[in-house]
Amino acid sequence: QVQLVESGGGLVQPGGSLRLSCTASGLLFSSNSMGWFRQAPGTEREFVAAISWNGGRQYYADSVKGRFAISRDNAKNTVYLQMNSLKPEDTAVYSCASRPPTSPGSFGSSDEYRYWGQGTQVTVSS
């Protein structure tokens, strides 16, 4: 059974930082690209960042470029999202997802991801 478990969310002041983690089990982690998506109340799920299977390529939404950094540790089956200079508009539930190596589509499309975690809440507020 595949499980993706996120951690690291919480309440942070504007300008602050958080690091999210997502640990996978039940799948060949090192063969899968991984992505982070977020969803705020009343909005559609949106792409945040993605990383290729070996960490060699990273992709970011324009809204987080230069502030967020995605990385992975295949030995620990874990993907990270370092979030700096956080803004109130970053408030959302953040979920990680795995993308099979055979997926032909865009890294930014949620349709290309097979397994999803439950999500972790990030709230940016003073």
Side-chain angles (χ1 to χ4, degrees):
Q1 181 181 357
V2 176
Q3 279 194 308
L4 302 178
V5 180
E6 301 96 339
S7 62
L11 173 65
V12 63
Q13 292 188 340
S17 298
L18 282 175
R19 188 175 84 152
L20 305 183
S21 300
C22 168
T23 301
S25 60
L27 81 165
L28 191 54
F29 181 79
S30 59
S31 294
N32 283 258
S33 301
M34 298 295 296
W36 285 96
F37 290 76
R38 67 186 182 187
Q39 187 168 20
T43 70
E44 299 275 324
R45 176 188 287 165
E46 67 169 345
F47 169 73
V48 176
I51 189 166
S52 60
W53 64 276
N54 64 353
R57 291 174 291 163
Q58 300 91 40
Y59 308 85
Y60 296 97
D62 287 343
S63 59
V64 307
K65 209 171 289 185
R67 300 188 297 122
F68 291 11
I70 189 170
S71 62
R72 65 189 295 159
D73 185 339
N74 285 349
K76 296 182 178 179
N77 282 7
T78 300
V79 61
Y80 305 97
L81 185 67
Q82 177 67 42
M83 305 186 295
N84 300 324
S85 302
L86 282 160
K87 305 175 181 179
E89 51 263 44
D90 294 318
T91 295
V93 174
Y94 284 70
S95 299
C96 66
S98 63
R99 180 178 181 276
T102 55
S103 291
S106 165
F107 277 79
S109 170
S110 61
D111 292 340
E112 298 299 317
Y113 292 79
R114 180 175 296 173
Y115 298 108
W116 292 80
Q118 295 277 58
T120 184
Q121 177 70 47
V122 171
T123 303
V124 184
S125 175
S126 54

